[in-house]
Structures are given as structure tokens and as C-alpha cells.
Amino acid sequence: MEAEASSFETSEILANFLSSTPLLSESWRLCNLANSIPNQSFVVEQIGRTCYVAFSTVKTFSEADFCCGNLVALDDNNDQLFSPLHRQINEGEDPIMVHAGFLHLFFSVFDPSFQRQILEITHRCKSLVITGHAIRGTTASLLTLWLLSHLHKSFSSSASVLCITFGSPLLGNESLSRAILREKWDGNFCHVVSKHDIMPRLLFVPPVQLGPHLQLLQSHSEAKAELLRLVLAHLEVIAGAEEGSGSTLFLPFGSYFFCSEDGAICMDNATSVIRMMYLMLMMASPNSSLEDNWKYGDYIERISPQFLKQRNFMQGELPGSCYEVGVALALQSFGIDNQEPVARLARDCLKMARRMGRTPNLNVANLAIKLSMITPYRAQIEWYQACCDESDEQLGYYDSFKLRGASKRVSKVNMNRIMLGRFWDNVINMLENNHLPHDFHTRGKWVNASQFYKLLVEPLDIADYYRNGLHLTKGHYMKHGRARRYKIFDRWWQERSSEEDSSKRSRLASLTQDSCFWAKLEEARECVDKVRSESDKRTIDLLWKNINEFEKYAAKLVESKRVSKDVLARNSSYVLWVEDLRKLRSQLLQFPVTFPTLVDRMVN
């Protein structure tokens, strides 16, 4: 779809919808109500089937508020509270971290009585809106994350949950933002940020540099200007970096509702949010950057569907497309004149936000086409498997490929194996570089496709590894030869559902359900060979332990029919290993005097 033919997704559509409901005005009213009640950290009010939980504002911005403990792992001693978030961390990804001071502030109200009250609300109300202003916006976000985690595990309530914050600082690192996207919870968060409010931008400055400036705000008026310069300097570096390359401890998540006296726009791409935060703050004065944190009521009152629709362009021709009209309307929502120097930068930021929002889904569509194009490669390997199973040699799929000779058919299969590996390596690379949706690995189509590929092709990779003697130079396949993609696909498959497949099979599987079965067998074969010549008692104990563990595991797979027919082929490595082990045990029992050490440690 051409950009010119598309609506402008990143600006007024979501803003218009949100401003047409009482959600913003009621949330702000209740934040003020919580502030007016002495010694009250939060208030609860039900309006129809919607219940609001609003946290009172912490009014002092001290060094301790922002710099206490820096970042801490969210799952430290709290894995039962936020477990769905960190269960899907990718290999090599940083742990989910949040601001230590804000986490401590959250636990100051999160006692058992408070938990019971919140859970009771979810059963009583259809919708729950959790809101907070300034620092207490982080408390609202953490409560929402806990509640979403609880509802995800319990399935005991169908209540919808929405978090609305006003001028809230950032909460956590990039891993937190990614985890929220993976769980598809980003739509549960709406962060309202006014044009010049410095509070949501403060934590782009490293805490060690930020603390001294916050301490001086109460006693030095010039500290306001210095703080603004400091925040702008760091934001400029981060906003000017390419996506994923900016050096910031904290990253936005959810949707950002930018508001001003002229209107509002919405964004949900973290990179675009950061750049827009920088562009808007460029036009702030030292006083307005601090005072804007208390003007959300004024801005919300002026935002309405009628106000958003009453747009008048300056004299001159209208933009040449609906898309350009959308960009121009978005700029007017921030009171940016088309002639201002910042207008070009803001226009580029809006266009980038739209492009980033569409590209991952377009990439998925293109990948689906490529997946269909490589299907013949997979089909040829399946055909080769069927030929091996029906062969008079009765070697089976794995051993036929391991002992293969030089033939055009086998060379083609080997080339297809390599081509399929390249395709899936490219998929993983695209996902890890943010070119695919963050929930890509939870989508059934791709989880099932990757699992089928793994079960079909990994036995060939194992056969090739041992055929070429790589286990002699590098070590066994499981520890030293297994491709990273298979480990990733294992996680995808394990995370697809909490339910185990307990159904009984009436016949053998088309593919062995453990793609590493043959690698485990190769290690067991080596153990049997070594046990004949080993004299060290501890080593013999370990060898027999490994042999017996694999024997029981393999027998269980065969009994449950979770292996394919090639495992039980007359001349397969597994059948020959079972026979070899039987003979070894028979010899040891027949000549106990000759092998006293082995007999003592043999486990029947």
C-alpha cells in the first residue's frame, strides 16, 4: 500500500478517540482529589461500571526520589508478581530493570490489604482505570503491570485495565519496554505529556549528573535554566541516534499522548517519542519546563473532538495529499507554525513514527511469501526421509544421511538443509534488530513452522556433524555444535502454551519429537565404548549413570510413540546401540571375575 493512499495513523485518530471520552478529565480530577486528602496515598471511585484508582502526587523532587538505587531487576524477589514479563527474555538480552526509588515507592502502598482491594474491584467492575501524576505515575504503571500479570495467570476476571499517567518520569529499561510489547500490553498504557513538562524527560540524564541539579532547584533560580540545558543536551544526543543505538538507561513504553494549548497527538514508537520529547522541549523556557507539570487540567479542558476538528490552515495551498494533511494537522496540535525551523524536524519525526509502525508488519507479510517460496526445499527433504524409511537397507533417515555417499539426490538434500538454515537465521536476525513485531515469536504460524523445521532438519545437522568428525575436534554436538537458532526455537515452542500435550499416540510420530535425540544417542554410544576400557571407579559410575539415563529416556519416548519409524529401523544406530548394551551387560554378568569393577557399578 502506498503511503499516499494511507490515513495518518500516528496523530489525531487515537488522540481524537481518547479526548472524546471522560477518561482523561476524570483521571485528572481524581489525581487532584487524592492530593487534597491528608495522609491519603490513593483514592478509589466507581463511575458506572468503570472504577478509578488514583494516586496522590509526591510533591518533592529530591535527589533521593530520582537517584535512589538507580536501576534494579524487576524480578528480584518479585518473580511471582511480574512473572509473565521476564519469562520471555531472549538469549543475551539484559534483564528487566526499573528505577529503584520508584519501585520502593510502589511497595510502600502495595500491602496485602491493598492487593485484596484491587482484586475485589476487578470482579466488581467491567473496567479499571489506574492513574497517577508525576512520580506517582510510575506507581500507577507498576500497579498496572502487577494487575496484568495477575490476570494473565489467574484468568479469574475479565475486567479491562487502562493506565493513564500525567507527566510521569520514565520507569524502566529497554528490556521492560520489549517485554510489554511481547505481552501485547503496550495498549494498556497511555502517558499524557505536556509540551514543555520536564518531568517525563528528566531520566534521560544519568542519575549521578541529575542529583546535584535537583538539589539546587529550591535555592537557586539559575538552576532551572541549567537543568533545562542539561536535559536538552542529553536528549539531543539520544534523539539524534539511530533506532536502538541511543545510550539511555530508560526507554518509554505504551502510547504517549502529547498535549498543549493547541491540541494533542499520540505516538507509540519509543524512538519517535524520544525525538518528539526533545523537539517540544527545545521551545520551552526554564520556568515553563517546571510549571507545565501542573497544567494538565488546563490542557485537558481544551481538548475535545470539536476542538481537534476545527483546524484552519494558514493562507496558501493545502498539502497535496491526505497524508500531508494529517502531518500538518499534527503540527498544528502542537502550535508549530509551518515556517518555524523546528517544523521540519517535527514533520520528519511524525513521518518516521508512521513508517516504523508499518514496517514490521510489512516485513512479516514479506516473510510469509518467502516462507512459501522455500516450501519446495522442505518438501524435498521430506521426500528423502520417506525414501530412507522405505529403503531395503533399513538404516533410517538419520543414519542414511550420516553414511551417505556421493549422489545428486543427497547433494540436493544437503543444499536444501543449508538454504533452510539461512532463511531461519535471517528471521531471527530481523526479530532481534526490531524489524519484526515484538510478539512475532508468539504467533502460531511462525512457532509451528519453526518447530516443524527444527524436527525435520536438525537430525540432518547432527548427522553431518558426526559424519565429519567434528565431535572429535570441537566436542559433542549438544554443547559445542548446536546452532543458536534451534535453542531459540526451543524457547518459542515451550512458551507457546502452558498446557502440555497429554494425548496418547496410536502410532509412531512422523518426526521424532526430540530433535536432539540422535545427538544424545551419539554421546550414549561413546559412553558404552568407554566403559569397556575405563578403570577409574568414579568415571565408571558417571558413565553408567549417563547410559542408564539415556536408556530410560529413549525407552519412554519409544513407548509413548514420540519417535519416528527411522529410530526403530532394523539397522539404525539406536537399535544397534540397544543390542550392544545388552551384549555388554550379558558379558559382564557372565564373566564377573574378569570385570569385577564394571559389574559392581553396572545398574540393571
Side-chain angles (χ1 to χ4, degrees):
M1 183 184 297
E2 294 294 332
E4 294 293 327
S6 303
S7 60
F8 188 75
E9 295 102 332
T10 59
S11 176
E12 299 211 340
I13 295 176
L14 184 55
N16 197 6
F17 166 76
L18 195 57
S19 63
S20 67
T21 72
L23 291 172
L24 293 177
S25 57
E26 291 295 336
S27 296
W28 180 253
R29 179 181 67 83
L30 288 169
C31 284
N32 285 330
L33 178 62
N35 291 335
S36 66
I37 303 176
N39 303 319
Q40 184 80 15
S41 58
F42 68 94
V43 297
V44 176
E45 183 173 313
Q46 185 170 341
I47 303 175
R49 296 295 303 277
T50 301
C51 193
Y52 291 81
V53 178
F55 290 94
S56 59
T57 302
V58 178
K59 296 184 174 62
T60 55
F61 307 146
S62 66
E63 179 182 3
D65 290 326
F66 283 91
C67 308
C68 174
N70 297 327
L71 284 166
V72 295
L74 183 64
D75 57 348
D76 278 358
N77 303 318
N78 302 314
D79 53 334
Q80 297 303 312
L81 296 179
F82 305 100
S83 55
L85 282 174
H86 56 260
R87 69 182 175 87
Q88 293 180 335
I89 294 179
N90 290 328
E91 184 180 26
E93 185 174 306
D94 292 334
I96 295 173
M97 309 282 283
V98 296
H99 189 284
F102 300 158
L103 187 62
H104 176 75
L105 189 63
F106 167 69
F107 281 115
S108 69
V109 298
F110 191 73
D111 56 31
S113 174
F114 177 78
Q115 295 178 43
R116 287 193 297 270
Q117 184 177 356
I118 296 299
L119 293 178
E120 192 276 330
I121 291 172
T122 63
H123 294 287
R124 186 177 75 232
C125 298
K126 183 177 180 180
S127 302
L128 177 61
V129 178
I130 303 171
T131 185
H133 175 221
I135 294 179
R136 277 300 189 183
T138 63
T139 303
S141 293
L142 284 167
L143 176 60
T144 303
L145 289 175
W146 168 75
L147 191 54
L148 290 171
S149 300
H150 177 84
L151 296 177
H152 179 275
K153 293 181 290 184
S154 67
F155 301 101
S156 59
S157 171
S158 60
S160 62
V161 182
L162 175 65
C163 176
I164 299 177
T165 68
F166 298 93
S168 173
L170 302 180
L171 175 61
N173 64 351
E174 182 179 0
S175 294
L176 174 64
S177 180
R178 285 176 174 268
I180 290 172
L181 283 168
R182 284 195 293 262
E183 292 296 326
K184 300 181 182 179
W185 291 349
D186 48 312
N188 295 85
F189 295 88
C190 176
H191 304 287
V192 184
V193 175
S194 64
K195 187 175 180 179
H196 296 157
D197 188 2
I198 200 171
M199 179 66 68
R201 298 149 163 107
L202 280 177
L203 289 179
F204 288 115
V205 179
V208 67
Q209 299 182 40
L210 182 62
H213 289 84
L214 294 177
Q215 288 180 321
L216 294 174
L217 285 179
Q218 305 300 326
S219 55
H220 297 279
S221 57
E222 61 271 16
K224 297 179 181 179
E226 181 58 31
L227 178 61
L228 178 59
R229 285 194 293 270
L230 180 67
V231 174
L232 276 172
H234 283 84
L235 258 176
E236 182 178 16
V237 174
I238 298 167
E242 294 295 325
E243 185 182 22
S245 63
S247 56
T248 175
L249 295 176
F250 296 87
L251 199 72
F253 61 85
S255 297
Y256 271 72
F257 187 94
F258 290 98
C259 63
S260 72
E261 65 276 5
D262 296 297
I265 62 172
C266 280
M267 291 182 172
D268 58 8
N269 175 270
T271 302
S272 299
V273 167
I274 293 173
R275 293 186 182 182
M276 189 58 72
M277 282 187 172
Y278 167 66
L279 294 174
M280 296 301 99
L281 196 64
M282 285 175 59
M283 300 181 287
S285 66
N287 285 330
S288 68
S289 65
L290 294 174
E291 295 170 357
D292 234 29
N293 189 257
W294 300 97
K295 293 184 177 180
Y296 286 98
D298 297 335
Y299 296 144
I300 290 169
E301 286 180 4
R302 300 191 62 182
I303 296 172
S304 69
Q306 293 77 21
F307 179 80
L308 289 174
K309 291 176 181 177
Q310 290 173 0
R311 299 293 187 216
N312 292 310
F313 286 99
M314 303 299 291
Q315 290 184 353
E317 294 185 2
L318 290 174
S321 70
C322 292
Y323 179 75
E324 292 296 334
V325 169
V327 173
L329 291 175
L331 294 179
Q332 284 194 13
S333 294
F334 263 128
I336 300 176
D337 190 287
N338 248 351
Q339 305 305 316
E340 291 184 24
V342 75
R344 180 184 59 81
L345 298 174
R347 187 181 297 106
D348 291 343
C349 181
L350 292 169
K351 291 181 178 180
M352 179 189 69
R354 178 183 179 278
R355 184 176 66 253
M356 288 181 171
R358 287 171 51 82
T359 299
N361 288 323
L362 290 176
N363 287 340
V364 171
N366 291 330
L367 270 183
I369 296 173
K370 293 180 180 178
L371 180 63
S372 66
M373 293 173 65
I374 65 169
T375 298
Y377 301 158
R378 192 184 71 185
Q380 290 175 12
I381 295 178
E382 292 180 79
W383 172 74
Y384 172 75
Q385 179 196 20
C387 291
C388 293
D389 290 342
E390 300 302 324
S391 172
D392 293 337
E393 295 179 342
Q394 284 292 293
L395 285 171
Y397 178 48
Y398 171 78
D399 287 290
S400 294
F401 193 74
K402 181 181 177 183
L403 302 174
R404 67 187 184 271
S407 71
K408 186 175 181 180
R409 180 180 70 175
V410 176
S411 297
K412 184 67 173 176
V413 168
N414 192 43
M415 181 58 67
N416 291 346
R417 173 182 71 91
I418 295 171
M419 295 292 288
L420 288 171
R422 289 175 180 172
F423 170 80
W424 285 105
D425 283 341
N426 180 58
V427 170
I428 293 170
N429 183 63
M430 291 178 68
L431 180 61
E432 293 180 342
N433 285 283
N434 300 323
H435 297 153
L436 297 174
H438 290 274
D439 67 338
F440 173 85
H441 68 291
T442 66
R443 299 183 180 184
K445 172 187 177 72
W446 294 98
V447 173
N448 292 330
S450 63
Q451 175 70 359
F452 185 84
Y453 157 75
K454 183 186 71 171
L455 297 181
L456 178 68
V457 176
E458 188 166 17
L460 300 185
D461 286 3
I462 298 169
D464 191 69
Y465 189 84
Y466 284 94
R467 170 187 170 84
N468 293 314
L470 296 179
H471 62 294
L472 301 176
T473 56
K474 293 183 177 181
H476 280 292
Y477 176 87
M478 291 293 292
K479 287 187 177 180
H480 304 285
R482 196 179 191 210
R484 179 169 170 263
R485 59 179 172 273
Y486 294 129
K487 300 175 185 178
I488 293 173
F489 295 159
D490 281 343
R491 289 200 304 273
W492 290 10
W493 185 250
Q494 292 164 6
E495 293 165 0
R496 78 197 188 283
S497 173
S498 59
E499 299 179 3
E500 295 291 332
D501 181 11
S502 58
S503 59
K504 293 185 178 180
R505 294 177 178 271
S506 59
R507 54 183 171 179
L508 294 175
S510 59
L511 293 167
T512 299
Q513 297 302 290
D514 180 0
S515 62
C516 291
F517 174 84
W518 296 105
K520 296 173 183 176
L521 172 65
E522 294 287 356
E523 293 187 31
R525 289 178 66 183
E526 184 180 79
C527 288
V528 170
D529 292 338
K530 285 184 176 180
V531 81
R532 288 189 169 99
S533 59
E534 185 59 55
S535 59
D536 182 75
K537 295 180 179 180
R538 287 180 296 181
T539 303
I540 292 173
D541 284 341
L542 180 60
L543 290 171
W544 273 115
K545 178 176 180 293
N546 293 339
I547 291 170
N548 286 301
E549 284 180 354
F550 175 75
E551 182 183 30
K552 292 177 182 178
Y553 171 71
K556 184 177 179 181
L557 279 182
V558 172
E559 182 182 0
S560 62
K561 295 182 171 59
R562 294 175 63 82
V563 297
S564 56
K565 62 190 301 183
D566 68 315
V567 172
L568 302 178
R570 185 174 64 251
N571 296 317
S572 76
S573 294
Y574 174 70
V575 170
L576 295 179
W577 177 82
V578 170
E579 179 61 22
D580 190 30
L581 181 60
R582 185 192 65 78
K583 289 180 179 180
L584 174 61
R585 284 191 172 130
S586 177
Q587 291 171 358
L588 295 179
L589 292 174
Q590 188 175 357
F591 305 103
V593 178
T594 308
F595 306 102
T597 304
L598 296 182
V599 173
D600 290 342
R601 280 151 182 81
M602 182 179 65
V603 179
N604 292 300

